[in-house]
Amino acid sequence: MKKFLGTTVSALLFLCCLAQPNKKTSVEGIISDKSTHLPLSGAIIRIGERQAITDEKGYFIFTSLELNKEWLEVSSLGYESFKQALGSGQPKLTLAVELNPTPLFLQPLEIRSVRASERAPFTKTNLSKEQISKNNLGQDIPFLLDQTPSVVVNADAGNGIGYTAIRIRGTDATRINVTLNGIPYNDAESMGTYFVDLPDFGSSVSSIQVQRGVGTSSNGAGAFGATMNLSTNEYNAKAYGESNNSFGSFNSFRNNLKGGTGLIGGHFTVDARLSKISSDGYIERASSDLQSFYLSGAYLTDNSSLRVNIFSGKEKTYQAWYGVPENMLSSNRRINPAGTEKAGSPYENQTDNYTQTHYQLFFNHRFKQNWQFNTAFFLTKGNGYY
């Protein structure tokens, strides 16, 4: 009996130990410049799935972490990335990390001129490349932002592929200022945005900032509703290559190839992407056949950078912009009135066809620490019919 009671008590103690929650750990620290020892604001720190940004004093903090062979990763534009393994079992970790400045001029002045800083009095959301890639399955840019506060999106085809629209705080795209690397994207005639002309552009975007309400950018359309800035001018130090393929409902396919040379000879870098997206759409005959490419080359020195971007999109979509009549919602929610004016079967080729190509040239130069110069030239060409 004593042995039985002893065994039972031991088992209960073992189970109680297993039931104890994992010890929580807090991680805090200061990020600074190794050469000047000054704190770095805006540096990005990642631990597992958690992310933080340093304040003006270079300070960051994570609370209630369950550390289990996690890595601390620190990155800041113009500095070499830092990575360190974190041990577990301690209730608090205090770190001091110094980042090595890169000798090349990498600061994208064209982005700083239209983006709000961390302390700017604007309501904003910043999306990193990792956050964008989680939702990027081939749908248009508005659908990559549909979980952003105050954003409402819709699609002609019903599944986010083809013609899409976005509203922020109830304001349509004609009063949302959209820039690509600081270059205005809103249509010069209608002030609208047609992301169908840039299929799979999200695969080349390195960061997005959405400012809700009147924003900082004065480029292009008036930002009464919101400001959206998309940046593709990312610097990749090492060569890479990848292929992304996805399949979804209504015969939706996304296939792309991406690659980059990394830094060649300490100065040159080239990045490229080739994409194809197709879908039958949720709405009848709301098919899409989309193709695009992206090519970027840069020359970097200690105080200057010269970058050329060329990207283009070609779309062929069956017209589906009339919407579903209210009296048909209960009987056929997928009906498409386009083409039904033809007797018998609808028109087979009542499509919208358009090609849009963008050329961008950026030059940045640093005269002194607090004196910098940048200029940009761009050309957007489009042609098509419906």
Side-chain angles (χ1 to χ4, degrees):
M1 186 65 178
K2 291 182 179 180
K3 292 183 178 180
F4 173 76
L5 289 175
T7 303
T8 303
V9 171
S10 300
L12 289 173
L13 289 174
F14 177 73
L15 290 174
C16 289
C17 292
L18 290 180
Q20 292 295 319
N22 292 333
K23 291 184 178 180
K24 303 291 186 178
T25 302
S26 66
V27 179
E28 62 179 0
I30 302 291
I31 309 298
S32 58
D33 184 310
K34 189 171 185 178
S35 59
T36 64
H37 304 293
L38 295 175
L40 291 177
S41 64
I44 299 174
I45 302 94
R46 295 186 182 88
I47 300 178
E49 298 295 325
R50 300 272 296 274
Q51 177 177 301
I53 299 177
T54 56
D55 60 16
E56 67 276 6
K57 296 181 180 179
Y59 176 76
F60 72 92
I61 185 171
F62 292 90
T63 59
S64 300
L65 286 174
E66 295 183 4
L67 295 181
N68 182 21
K69 298 182 180 180
E70 300 289 354
W71 287 85
L72 172 82
E73 299 180 42
V74 184
S75 62
S76 184
L77 197 61
Y79 293 86
E80 297 177 0
S81 297
F82 176 86
K83 193 172 183 180
Q84 175 181 325
L86 297 178
S88 59
Q90 302 180 47
K92 184 177 180 180
L93 292 175
T94 302
L95 306 172
V97 177
E98 293 184 326
L99 298 184
N100 290 312
T102 176
L104 299 177
F105 184 73
L106 303 176
Q107 189 77 344
L109 298 182
E110 65 275 3
I111 301 304
R112 288 176 56 190
S113 62
V114 295
R115 284 197 175 178
S117 64
E118 290 301 318
R119 301 184 64 188
F122 298 99
T123 306
K124 58 190 177 296
T125 298
N126 293 309
L127 298 177
S128 65
K129 183 177 181 180
E130 290 76 14
Q131 292 171 310
I132 297 169
S133 62
K134 287 182 180 179
N135 298 323
N136 184 20
L137 300 175
Q139 294 174 303
D140 273 4
I141 293 294
F143 276 73
L144 296 182
L145 303 175
D146 67 346
Q147 298 302 309
T148 305
S150 303
V151 170
V152 177
V153 300
N154 68 280
D156 288 356
N159 63 343
I161 298 176
Y163 272 92
T164 58
I166 184 171
R167 286 178 177 265
I168 301 180
R169 287 187 174 177
T171 305
D172 68 10
T174 62
R175 287 299 176 263
I176 297 175
N177 177 272
V178 181
T179 57
L180 310 179
N181 300 313
I183 303 299
Y185 181 66
N186 295 69
D187 183 79
E189 181 180 8
S190 67
M191 294 297 131
T193 53
Y194 303 98
F195 287 105
V196 67
D197 299 323
L198 293 176
D200 203 28
F201 191 68
S203 294
S204 296
V205 172
S206 56
S207 64
I208 300 176
Q209 183 180 81
V210 179
Q211 301 172 26
R212 297 180 289 280
V214 178
T216 58
S217 176
S218 60
N219 296 350
F224 298 114
T227 296
M228 291 171 48
N229 176 265
L230 292 79
S231 172
T232 67
N233 290 349
E234 181 185 32
Y235 165 70
N236 294 289
K238 298 181 180 180
Y240 68 96
E242 64 181 74
S243 175
N244 298 286
N245 304 278
S246 56
F247 167 74
S249 303
F250 314 109
N251 288 324
S252 300
F253 290 89
R254 190 276 296 261
N255 310 97
N256 72 22
L257 290 171
K258 293 173 57 180
T261 62
L263 200 59
I264 302 176
H267 294 287
F268 291 97
T269 179
V270 177
D271 299 276
R273 173 185 54 81
L274 189 63
S275 302
K276 178 176 175 58
I277 299 174
S278 62
S279 176
D280 291 342
Y282 171 76
I283 300 297
E284 294 174 350
R285 303 183 308 285
S287 60
S288 300
D289 184 6
L290 315 175
Q291 303 168 37
S292 69
F293 74 84
Y294 175 88
L295 180 64
S296 179
Y299 178 77
L300 309 170
T301 66
D302 293 351
N303 296 307
S304 301
S305 68
L306 179 67
R307 180 179 290 274
V308 177
N309 296 335
I310 302 174
F311 50 95
S312 178
K314 181 179 181 181
E315 61 93 0
K316 180 177 181 179
T317 58
Y318 196 99
Q319 294 177 14
W321 48 60
Y322 297 107
V324 178
E326 184 178 2
N327 61 347
M328 297 295 295
L329 287 174
S330 59
S331 58
N332 184 6
R333 299 178 63 88
R334 300 180 60 190
I335 189 170
N336 182 7
T340 56
E341 62 271 21
K342 174 178 175 287
S345 59
Y347 287 111
E348 295 182 358
N349 199 34
Q350 189 166 325
T351 58
D352 180 75
N353 302 263
Y354 199 77
T355 300
Q356 189 176 84
T357 305
H358 298 252
Y359 304 88
Q360 298 179 343
L361 174 66
F362 303 96
F363 177 71
N364 297 329
H365 181 72
R366 177 173 55 211
F367 296 101
K368 294 182 179 180
Q369 184 65 31
N370 296 319
W371 288 91
Q372 300 176 343
F373 167 81
N374 80 295
T375 187
F377 299 90
F378 70 95
L379 172 66
T380 303
K381 296 183 66 177
N383 61 82
Y385 63 93
Y386 67 92

